[in-house]
Amino acid sequence: MINEEYRYGVIGGGSWATAIVKMLIDNVSEVNWYMRSESAVEHIKQYGHNPSYLSSVTFSRKKLNLFTDINAIIDKSDILIFSIPAAFLQNAIGYAKGFEGKNIVSAIKGVIPGEDMIIADYFEKRWGVVTDNFAVISGPCHAEEVALERLSYLTIASQNNNLAKEVAGKLSNHFLRTSVSDDIYGTEYSAVLKNIYALASGICHGLGFGDNFQAVLISNAIQEIKLFLNKVHPISRDIKASAYLGDLLVTAYSQFSRNRTFGNMIGKGYSVKSAQLEMNMVAEGYYATKSIKSIVDKSGVHMPIYNAVYNILYNKMSPMSEIKILLDSLS
């Protein structure tokens, strides 16, 4: 059962974590916030804003409890919202004592490297978090537009409808509208794949392909997502809904999309390392492309766009050569 007095904790120090704190802070009496950087915590305590991400967003310091001890925030929170890149999640919570009795909400768009697991499976199999205590936040929504208070929509997915409604209610405000779903696995896998297809969009933009081709690319991308989801988690879902198609569109086209930006740099000839250094932000799609490879292969689904991105990033194939090969697979 969900209690209106549940204490909320946000784990992560990046843009999306900062945006989630902004959404929550007007709807709850206080927000617990964990980040690894002690200097960032001290800065927020003194100045009321994150020094590194969405620094224009200011917070009421009286409503914030800041932590650098993962177990302290777990102890003092009932609903924990995770917003940490999937590639770093294991290290971030490696010293956690456990999550017994806690509700876990994932705002992570990735697969655990080396585990071949999305976040729902990871918390269930490694930490014993039952499905009824788990939820997923999905877009389409960029943190930068939350900071600007531009109208945005979120979907909260959980097989526990009460938990989904609770979290949806606490994230809603005058510029943020929410809906609920029970498709945890579909929204998680779709969120992983849309970052990879945003890389493809960026690569093609960097190579000089225009809007006409981008429309064809993304039309084919949503079909790949549909086929994959129907194979790995076959339930009735509307792939045209905002949690699937909408999230793909905003990530593939938006100026705020770090995955599109990363792909654009690869298309222009940057190496992976140089693109990562210049961005100074994590493009989840880069890690997800490798982490989901075995799942894609086991599914047996024909996914030529995904394969092209994998070959470019991990087999070091020429972006232009791979996209030229891809052209005959699109319709």
Side-chain angles (χ1 to χ4, degrees):
M1 181 176 292
I2 300 301
N3 185 324
E4 289 188 5
E5 301 302 320
Y6 267 31
R7 303 163 297 172
Y8 277 78
V10 177
I11 296 177
S15 298
W16 194 220
T18 305
I20 290 169
V21 173
K22 175 180 171 63
M23 295 179 223
L24 284 173
I25 204 161
D26 290 333
N27 294 328
V28 297
S29 58
E30 59 183 15
V31 177
N32 298 324
W33 191 2
Y34 164 89
M35 59 182 67
R36 183 180 56 182
S37 171
E38 293 186 4
S39 62
V41 165
E42 291 306 315
H43 186 98
I44 296 170
K45 286 180 179 179
Q46 185 170 358
Y47 299 107
H49 68 89
N50 189 334
S52 302
Y53 301 94
L54 303 188
S55 57
S56 64
V57 175
T58 57
F59 301 102
S60 169
R61 285 166 284 174
K62 293 180 180 179
K63 298 187 73 173
L64 278 181
N65 300 316
L66 293 151
F67 300 86
T68 56
D69 180 343
I70 190 74
N71 286 301
I73 191 173
I74 293 171
D75 182 59
K76 295 183 180 298
S77 305
D78 305 301
I79 296 179
L80 291 158
I81 302 178
F82 283 81
S83 182
I84 295 172
F88 309 136
L89 179 62
Q90 290 171 295
N91 287 337
I93 63 175
Y95 295 102
K97 294 178 181 178
F99 300 98
E100 184 176 357
K102 306 296 180 180
N103 293 289
I104 304 299
V105 181
S106 172
I108 301 170
K109 313 289 177 66
V111 176
I112 304 297
E115 298 278 2
D116 296 344
M117 288 190 286
I118 54 175
I119 309 304
D121 286 340
Y122 174 72
F123 272 103
E124 180 181 9
K125 294 176 181 178
R126 295 290 181 263
W127 293 97
V129 176
V130 298
T131 305
D132 274 357
N133 290 347
F134 188 84
V136 175
I137 298 174
S138 62
C141 190
H142 279 305
E144 291 82 0
E145 292 206 347
V146 171
L148 295 169
E149 298 193 357
R150 291 178 176 171
L151 181 61
S152 303
Y153 288 70
L154 289 175
T155 298
I156 315 303
S158 178
Q159 293 181 12
N160 180 342
N161 191 53
N162 289 331
L163 175 59
K165 288 182 176 179
E166 160 68 19
V167 175
K170 292 299 189 294
L171 294 177
S172 299
N173 54 42
H174 69 280
F175 64 88
L176 204 298
R177 299 185 182 184
T178 58
S179 59
V180 300
S181 165
D182 62 358
D183 187 14
I184 292 176
Y185 295 99
T187 52
E188 275 222 75
Y189 276 121
S190 182
V192 172
L193 289 169
K194 58 98 177 182
N195 284 335
I196 299 170
Y197 294 118
L199 290 178
S201 177
I203 289 168
C204 291
H205 184 266
L207 290 170
F209 288 87
D211 293 345
N212 292 342
F213 178 74
Q214 290 283 353
V216 173
L217 180 73
I218 301 308
S219 295
N220 280 263
I222 194 62
Q223 292 303 314
E224 287 192 15
I225 292 175
K226 179 180 180 179
L227 291 171
F228 179 83
L229 294 184
N230 287 344
K231 183 69 174 182
V232 300
H233 189 57
I235 66 169
S236 177
R237 62 172 62 86
D238 182 3
I239 201 69
K240 300 185 297 298
S242 61
Y244 312 100
L245 178 58
D247 206 9
L248 170 65
L249 290 174
V250 75
T251 310
Y253 292 149
S254 175
Q255 62 177 320
F256 297 122
S257 170
R258 65 188 69 177
N259 288 286
R260 179 186 166 92
T261 299
F262 183 86
N264 184 55
M265 295 169 78
I266 298 298
K268 287 182 177 297
Y270 282 72
S271 68
V272 167
K273 187 173 182 179
S274 61
Q276 289 173 324
L277 289 171
E278 184 161 324
M279 280 184 62
N280 195 32
M281 297 177 78
V282 175
E284 283 272 28
Y286 170 70
Y287 298 100
T289 300
K290 183 176 182 180
S291 298
I292 205 170
K293 181 70 162 64
S294 65
I295 302 173
V296 170
D297 289 346
K298 289 176 186 176
S299 76
V301 176
H302 181 54
M303 300 174 70
I305 304 174
Y306 164 81
N307 289 329
V309 174
Y310 184 89
N311 286 337
I312 291 167
L313 295 181
Y314 290 99
N315 289 336
K316 302 187 185 305
M317 302 297 290
S318 160
M320 182 58 81
S321 297
E322 279 299 309
I323 299 305
K324 283 183 176 179
I325 293 170
L326 175 65
L327 299 183
D328 290 335
S329 300
L330 304 181
S331 60

